[in-house]
Short mmCIF file of all heavy atoms in Angstrom, two decimals:
data_model
loop_
_atom_site.label_atom_id
_atom_site.label_comp_id
_atom_site.label_asym_id
_atom_site.label_seq_id
_atom_site.Cartn_x
_atom_site.Cartn_y
_atom_site.Cartn_z
N ALA Z 9 -1.49 10.78 -0.75
CA ALA Z 9 -2.58 11.66 -0.32
C ALA Z 9 -2.91 12.64 -1.44
O ALA Z 9 -2.09 12.92 -2.31
CB ALA Z 9 -2.17 12.43 0.93
N ASP Z 15 -10.90 28.44 -1.66
CA ASP Z 15 -11.05 29.77 -1.09
C ASP Z 15 -12.28 29.79 -0.20
O ASP Z 15 -13.34 29.26 -0.58
CB ASP Z 15 -11.21 30.82 -2.19
CG ASP Z 15 -9.94 31.01 -3.00
OD1 ASP Z 15 -8.85 30.95 -2.40
OD2 ASP Z 15 -10.04 31.20 -4.22
N PRO Z 17 -14.36 32.40 3.02
CA PRO Z 17 -14.38 33.74 3.61
C PRO Z 17 -13.32 33.94 4.70
O PRO Z 17 -12.96 35.07 5.01
CB PRO Z 17 -15.79 33.85 4.19
CG PRO Z 17 -16.61 32.91 3.38
CD PRO Z 17 -15.68 31.76 3.05
N ALA Z 77 -23.05 20.03 6.71
CA ALA Z 77 -22.36 19.36 5.59
C ALA Z 77 -21.04 18.71 6.02
O ALA Z 77 -20.61 17.75 5.40
CB ALA Z 77 -22.11 20.35 4.46
N PRO Z 86 -4.03 9.38 13.87
CA PRO Z 86 -3.55 8.45 14.90
C PRO Z 86 -3.65 9.10 16.27
O PRO Z 86 -3.51 10.32 16.41
CB PRO Z 86 -2.09 8.21 14.50
CG PRO Z 86 -1.70 9.45 13.76
CD PRO Z 86 -2.95 9.94 13.07
N PRO Z 106 -21.34 26.07 21.83
CA PRO Z 106 -20.01 25.58 22.23
C PRO Z 106 -19.97 25.18 23.69
O PRO Z 106 -20.78 25.64 24.51
CB PRO Z 106 -19.10 26.77 21.95
CG PRO Z 106 -19.98 27.96 21.87
CD PRO Z 106 -21.33 27.48 21.45
N ALA Z 135 -9.08 19.97 11.16
CA ALA Z 135 -9.87 21.11 11.64
C ALA Z 135 -11.09 21.31 10.74
O ALA Z 135 -11.07 20.98 9.56
CB ALA Z 135 -9.02 22.37 11.67
N CYS Z 140 -13.03 21.34 16.69
CA CYS Z 140 -12.44 21.73 17.97
C CYS Z 140 -12.66 23.21 18.27
O CYS Z 140 -12.53 23.64 19.42
CB CYS Z 140 -10.96 21.38 18.00
SG CYS Z 140 -10.00 22.12 16.67
N LYS Z 160 -11.46 31.25 14.38
CA LYS Z 160 -12.33 30.62 15.38
C LYS Z 160 -13.56 31.50 15.64
O LYS Z 160 -14.69 31.00 15.65
CB LYS Z 160 -11.56 30.39 16.69
CG LYS Z 160 -12.35 29.62 17.74
CD LYS Z 160 -11.46 29.23 18.92
CE LYS Z 160 -12.20 28.38 19.92
NZ LYS Z 160 -11.32 27.86 20.98
N ASN Z 171 -28.24 28.87 13.99
CA ASN Z 171 -28.92 28.14 15.07
C ASN Z 171 -30.22 28.81 15.44
O ASN Z 171 -30.44 29.94 15.43
CB ASN Z 171 -28.01 28.05 16.28
CG ASN Z 171 -28.10 26.70 16.94
OD1 ASN Z 171 -28.82 25.83 16.49
ND2 ASN Z 171 -27.33 26.54 17.99
#
Side-chain angles (χ1 to χ4, degrees):
D15 291 323
C140 57
K160 185 171 184 173
N171 220 1

